[in-house]
Amino acid sequence: MEHKNAGNIKIVFLKTSDNLIPIASTDLEINDEEIIEIYKRRWDIEQGYKELREHFGFGKEENRIYEALIARMTLSFFAYNIVSYINRISHEPKTIGGLFRDLECELYTLSIAMHAFIEIMDKIAKIETIVNRNEDFMTIIATLRSTTQELLGFRCES
């Protein structure tokens, strides 16, 4: 078939349970199966970009500093790869969005648990006899606070 802008094209139809999907190729030398296989690989890439935009903020950068843009894009891809890997090894295929929401909930739960743990440690630290027996107790609490900030990006304060 000839297209007025693309020139000669080959059209292959992919049958799904609901309809036929036309796939156009300008490479007239490859067979129908190869065209469909290339389309499937390309579709996975497009779905990946869609998930990156929807769940990981890709393409929503508001900074104009080059290094900040690169850092933001790198973090988006890194987060996407981590979530995709977890999805792959969990043997329970979920949508990336669903898995992201689950992980986000787990992180929030972890932060609440860490906050509660630090509050408990603070209350124990106020018991004079325990503090007198263990001079490093306040150092442990300070280390928990700073480590929480480094790992989770915020401080747990009582």
Side-chain angles (χ1 to χ4, degrees), residues 51-82:
E51 290 168 346
L52 274 164
R53 285 189 302 274
E54 283 180 14
H55 306 293
F56 301 96
F58 185 75
K60 297 178 183 172
E61 296 79 14
E62 296 180 11
N63 203 322
R64 301 216 185 269
I65 298 170
Y66 178 76
E67 290 82 4
L69 291 171
I70 296 299
R72 175 70 171 129
M73 290 178 2
T74 301
L75 287 173
S76 293
F77 277 103
F78 179 72
Y80 175 79
N81 285 333
I82 294 288

Side-chain angles (χ1 to χ4, degrees), residues 71-116:
R72 175 70 171 129
M73 290 178 2
T74 301
L75 287 173
S76 293
F77 277 103
F78 179 72
Y80 175 79
N81 285 333
I82 294 288
V83 171
S84 295
Y85 175 74
I86 290 169
N87 195 28
R88 213 170 285 130
I89 65 170
S90 70
H91 304 295
E92 293 181 30
K94 297 181 178 181
T95 63
I96 294 294
L99 187 58
F100 179 71
R101 283 187 290 280
D102 289 349
L103 291 173
E104 189 176 40
C105 181
E106 287 178 24
L107 181 61
Y108 183 68
T109 303
L110 175 64
S111 71
I112 291 170
M114 194 66 183
H115 181 76

Side-chain angles (χ1 to χ4, degrees), residues 9-14 21-43:
I9 60 172
K10 181 177 186 178
I11 298 177
V12 177
F13 291 91
L14 178 62
I21 300 172
I23 304 169
S25 173
T26 56
D27 187 346
L28 305 177
E29 302 299 317
I30 60 176
N31 64 39
D32 297 354
E33 290 79 21
E34 287 176 293
I35 292 172
I36 291 171
E37 192 57 38
I38 291 168
Y39 173 79
K40 286 179 182 178
R41 284 192 308 245
R42 182 68 206 172
W43 181 253

Side-chain angles (χ1 to χ4, degrees), residues 106-123 138-158:
E106 287 178 24
L107 181 61
Y108 183 68
T109 303
L110 175 64
S111 71
I112 291 170
M114 194 66 183
H115 181 76
F117 179 71
I118 289 174
E119 280 191 36
I120 291 166
M121 297 294 275
D122 274 339
K123 288 184 186 208
M138 297 308 287
T139 306
I140 292 168
I141 292 173
T143 302
L144 284 170
R145 282 192 178 119
S146 64
T147 303
T148 301
Q149 182 176 7
E150 289 172 19
L151 294 175
L152 302 177
F154 55 85
R155 289 184 64 90
C156 290
E157 296 291 338
S158 56

